Amino acid sequence: MSSPFLKQVFNKDKTFRPKRKFEPGTQRFELHKRAQASLHAGLDLRQAVQLPPGEELNDWVAVHVVDFFNRLNLIYGTVSDGCTERSCPIMSGGPKYEYRWQDDHRFRKPTALSAPRYMDLLMDWVEVQINNEEIFPTNVGTPFPKNFLQAVRKIMSRLFRVFVHVYIHHFDRIAQMGSEAHVNTCYKHFYYFVTEFGLIDTKELEPLKEMTARMCH
C-alpha cells in the first residue's frame, strides 16, 4: 500500500517545479545513477557521500545539489498547505532564529518575509542557479566556474533553512503522515554531504544542532 506521504507528494493538485534532469549518456547522469545506487543498496550514508575514486569533485557536488533541491522541494510541498501567511508570518526556526531574504533584484537589503513567501523566493532562486549554464554547465568538457563551490555554499546554506523550518514548525505534519523516517534520512544525507565537503558554515547548523547530535553521531 502506498504511504500517505507519497500520495501527498504526487497529488495532482500540488504544483511542483520541473526537475532539473541529467541527460542520459553523460558522465553526470552516470554519477547520478551511482549515487542513487549507493543509497538504494543501503550503503552507510557517511560512505555514500564520499567522492568516488577518479571522479571530479565539482561533478559530484553538482549532481547532489540538484538532487537535494528536488528532494527539499517535495518535502516542503507536503507541509506547504499548513505553512501560511497566518501560521508562519516570519520565516524562522524557533524563537531564536529568523531568516531574512536578500537577492540581487527586488530585495537588496535583508527583508523579513513570511515563511511561504520566503520559500517561494528561495526555491525560485535555487532553480535559476542550477539552470544557469555558466554556474552548472551541462555540456561535457565545459569547465565549472572558479567560484562554483562558493555558489554552492550559498545554495546549501539556504536549502538547509528549509529543513530548519520544516523540523521546528511543521514536524507534527510530517509525523502525522508517517514520513519522519524518510525526512530524517534526507536530512542525514544532506548533513553528511555538506560536512564532508565543507559546504556550510557551522553557525548555519546551530538551529538543529541538538537534533543532529542525536541523529548523526
Side-chain angles (χ1 to χ4, degrees):
M1 195 173 84
S2 65
S3 72
F5 177 73
L6 288 177
K7 282 183 183 163
Q8 183 74 11
V9 165
F10 296 111
N11 183 336
K12 288 189 173 59
D13 295 337
K14 294 275 178 195
T15 52
F16 290 107
R17 293 147 214 279
K19 284 188 173 191
R20 169 71 185 261
K21 292 197 168 58
F22 302 102
E23 290 300 316
T26 64
Q27 184 184 15
R28 218 159 296 155
F29 179 74
E30 295 306 317
L31 274 181
H32 178 66
K33 282 204 310 191
R34 184 189 295 193
Q36 294 302 309
S38 296
L39 291 178
H40 294 151
L43 189 68
D44 177 80
L45 286 170
R46 279 181 207 265
Q47 291 178 283
V49 300
Q50 291 171 9
L51 180 67
E55 298 297 350
E56 286 292 327
L57 174 63
N58 286 348
D59 280 318
W60 187 241
V61 168
V63 162
H64 282 80
V65 171
V66 174
D67 195 38
F68 288 130
F69 168 66
N70 288 333
R71 287 166 189 243
L72 277 161
N73 240 316
L74 292 176
I75 288 170
Y76 180 67
T78 63
V79 302
S80 61
D81 55 351
C83 182
T84 64
E85 302 282 332
R86 180 175 289 182
S87 69
C88 304
I90 293 170
M91 173 58 184
S92 61
K96 282 174 66 179
Y97 300 95
E98 179 185 331
Y99 299 116
R100 298 187 171 208
W101 183 257
Q102 185 174 15
D103 56 33
D104 296 330
H105 305 291
R106 287 186 55 197
F107 300 97
R108 291 181 179 273
K109 292 181 179 175
T111 306
L113 298 171
S114 69
R117 180 86 178 100
Y118 186 103
M119 292 291 189
D120 269 349
L121 288 165
L122 186 157
M123 296 300 186
D124 284 344
W125 177 82
V126 175
E127 192 173 19
V128 167
Q129 306 297 304
I130 63 176
N131 284 297
N132 182 340
E133 285 288 327
E134 292 184 3
I135 304 173
F136 283 76
T138 51
N139 293 328
V140 177
T142 303
F144 284 88
K146 287 190 171 66
N147 67 341
F148 175 67
L149 290 178
Q150 186 183 335
V152 165
R153 285 188 184 97
K154 190 165 185 180
I155 291 170
M156 297 307 252
S157 291
R158 287 183 161 181
L159 285 176
F160 184 77
R161 295 169 186 182
V162 180
F163 277 122
V164 173
H165 186 73
V166 166
Y167 268 118
I168 293 176
H169 295 280
H170 300 291
F171 196 72
D172 54 343
R173 175 80 172 129
I174 297 289
Q176 179 192 351
M177 294 167 68
S179 51
E180 58 263 63
H182 173 84
V183 175
N184 288 348
T185 299
C186 288
Y187 176 74
K188 285 161 74 173
H189 189 197
F190 184 98
Y191 174 80
Y192 288 137
F193 190 82
V194 294
T195 52
E196 172 77 11
F197 299 109
L199 297 175
I200 202 163
D201 284 339
T202 310
K203 70 178 192 309
E204 282 283 346
L205 300 171
E206 282 289 320
L208 298 180
K209 189 176 174 182
E210 289 178 19
M211 184 196 82
T212 305
R214 289 195 306 273
M215 198 188 288
C216 300
H217 296 294

